[in-house]
Amino acid sequence: MRSKLIAGNWKMNTDKASSVELAKGIASKNQAIAGENVDVLLCPPFVYLPGVLNSVKDARIAVGAQDVYFEDNGAFTGEISVSMLKDIGCNYVICGHSERRHIMGEGDEIVNKKLSSAISGGLLPILCVGEKKEQRESGKTEEVVEGQLNGSLAGLSENKFMAITIAYEPVWAIGTGLTATPEQAQEVHSLIREKISQKYGQEQAQETRILYGGSVKPGNAGELLGQEDIDGVLVGGASLKVDSFSAIIEAAL
Ligand code: PGA
């Protein structure tokens, strides 16, 4: 039985004080979820990770980074390694978010290296995939998502794949207020599960969590989370307020 994962991607938002306030607010509102079949994850900007980790240390809330570099140390100015994230107590890392793919120009080859290093170093990666608006409109959703899965997962053994959560995030739905309908999302989620089954077998496909992301809000979370193959959500904008993020967590209970 797959437990649900409700993840907040704070992106390049908050500051030192408000990141702690947000994390503490979410922790105190969500004490009741301890023991439930729902995991909660916060992904603040790198520099606020220590403050957020400290703020949720007594709560059943995991903390992750929004990105990581694949080399372990050395002359890579500006980058952060897996061992650094582990060192401060992170458990998760987002890999291949569409903003990294499309703004920073990260391709599947880099995402693949990041996934591999993250898993070897003991982090649990969330691999993001999703099509752009014009790709959906020209009927290329399946092709794009399959291509990203194949490229990002190239050469990853079943043992390594077990650590991965997938997030389907249609680019046209991110930060736009446009959400995929529950049926549209379910269709792609079931397709992703099918592709995982082809690559890693039926049993592994049933175990893998597949999150939906893209303008998730308290008002649409329940219906999305009610779909058979939607095992959680990756939330951007609505994760920046205690009340809206908590309402999304409650929708998963
Ligand atoms: P959004 O972002 O909820 O603001 O659309 C989701 C994401 O990019 O992970």
Side-chain angles (χ1 to χ4, degrees), residues 7-11 13 94 97-99 128 167 169-179 212-217 233-240 248:
N9 172 12
W10 295 2
K11 309 193 179 183
N13 292 298
I94 299 172
H97 188 276
S98 70
E99 284 146 20
C128 302
E169 298 206 304
V171 180
W172 50 272
I174 296 179
T176 57
L178 297 172
T179 321
Y212 170 78
S215 298
V216 175
K217 299 181 263 313
V233 284
L234 180 53
V235 188
S239 72
L240 294 169
I248 293 170

Side-chain angles (χ1 to χ4, degrees), residues 68-91:
V68 70
Y69 197 56
F70 52 82
E71 295 287 356
D72 201 43
N73 51 52
F76 303 101
T77 303
E79 296 297 333
I80 302 283
S81 71
V82 173
S83 56
M84 290 172 184
L85 293 176
K86 284 295 288 181
D87 189 28
I88 61 165
C90 276
N91 292 321

